[in-house]
Amino acid sequence: MSRSADILLTATAPAIWGSTYIVTTQLLPAGYPLTVAMLRALPAGLLLLLFVRELPKGIWWHRTLLLGALNFSFFWAMLFVSAYRLPGGVAATVGAIQPLIVLGLSRAVMGTAIRPLSVLAGLAGIGGVALLVLTPAASLDPIGIAAGLAGAVSMAFGTVLSRHWQPPVPPLTFTAWQLTAGGLLLVPVALFLEPSLPMPTANNLLGFVYLGLIGAALTYIVWFRGLARLGPAAIAPLGFLSPLVAVVLGWALLGQDLSPLQIAGMAVVLGSVWLSQRAQAAPDASADARPQPAH
């Protein structure tokens, strides 16, 4: 498969994640961020684990627990806290800093060169997301902002380490391991810190099934595949597509207004994604695309 096809396929994952905002607010019970995160990860992980029938070996037990915490349990918990405590626009803008964090971590962990064009694309992406989702009336809850930043840092570390360590299994198995680990880590935390989930409604069940099977299992298989083939610096900016899709869904399904500034934000976001891929596809980026040795 060509690099362009790999990018397009990988981009479907953050595009689908853009639906998380509307599913969370419209279908899931409010006030249970840890329980929701656990129910998104664990059932999907166990289902995939039954399918692949392969467990980690040796050092991969420890790495899987760490990556499951970074990519799923801690990240999703912070994501839901941020989504519940902040307007969607503020939460998305805070999370948009992740590609810049990935650039710095890729340099520190893997020795990947930081290209000025990639930094410019990251800054443009943050600006585009801000135009897309921020409103003058947006409130700034300190806990929500802290949760959003913590989630962005967690996912950035998980993205870089997932590529740096190069798992010895296909993306399907790698996703099964991490989803299961992330879900198991969330079980005692959710039970201890949150009240029992009320009897789920049909809409609640629909939301959980969608987030688990589509928004977790399927999309993360695609995401980890793209990570292995393209590298962290190339796939992280694709995350800008999530708030773009969230706004489009809000307009299409909830009848929300779409202002000229938001349309301009869409153009900036798409331009930043294109610019980031141009930067990583430059001739001197070829060395960065090669797998890094595991340590």
Side-chain angles (χ1 to χ4, degrees), residues 79-197:
L79 178 68
F80 280 111
V81 169
S82 178
Y84 282 132
R85 298 188 67 98
L86 292 173
V90 178
T93 304
V94 172
I97 196 174
Q98 181 191 323
L100 292 179
I101 301 174
V102 165
L103 290 177
L105 289 176
S106 295
R107 174 64 178 174
V109 175
M110 298 164 52
T112 306
I114 297 180
R115 290 169 174 74
L117 200 58
S118 294
V119 177
L120 178 62
L123 293 172
I126 295 173
V129 170
L131 286 174
L132 191 63
V133 296
L134 281 184
T135 65
S139 58
L140 302 178
D141 177 78
I143 295 177
I145 291 175
L149 289 173
V153 172
S154 178
M155 184 63 174
F157 267 102
T159 297
V160 172
L161 290 177
S162 294
R163 172 59 188 266
H164 179 58
W165 285 334
Q166 286 293 295
V169 292
L172 176 62
T173 305
F174 193 42
T175 304
W177 291 356
Q178 290 195 61
L179 277 172
T180 304
L184 287 173
L185 290 170
L186 278 169
V187 170
V189 181
L191 290 176
F192 181 73
L193 295 180
E194 290 184 349
S196 299
L197 195 69

Side-chain angles (χ1 to χ4, degrees), residues 250-277:
W251 168 75
L253 300 180
L254 302 180
Q256 297 174 349
D257 293 334
L258 199 59
S259 69
L261 274 181
Q262 288 178 303
I263 295 173
M266 290 182 183
V268 174
V269 165
L270 293 174
S272 72
V273 171
W274 175 83
L275 189 63
S276 67
Q277 300 310 315

Side-chain angles (χ1 to χ4, degrees), residues 14 40 49 54 57 59 62 97 126 129 144 151 161 166 184 190-191 195 203 228-229 234 271 292:
R40 183 181 179 185
L49 203 58
E54 182 177 0
K57 297 180 179 64
I59 196 173
H62 304 91
I97 196 174
I126 295 173
V129 170
L161 290 177
Q166 286 293 295
L184 287 173
L191 290 176
N203 282 342
R229 295 175 69 92
Q292 301 292 323

Side-chain angles (χ1 to χ4, degrees), residues 218-255:
L218 177 62
T219 52
Y220 275 95
I221 292 169
V222 172
W223 184 254
F224 288 130
R225 177 193 176 277
L227 179 60
R229 295 175 69 92
L230 300 169
I235 73 163
L238 298 177
F240 291 135
L241 297 174
S242 288
L244 187 153
V245 170
V247 169
V248 171
L249 288 177
W251 168 75
L253 300 180
L254 302 180

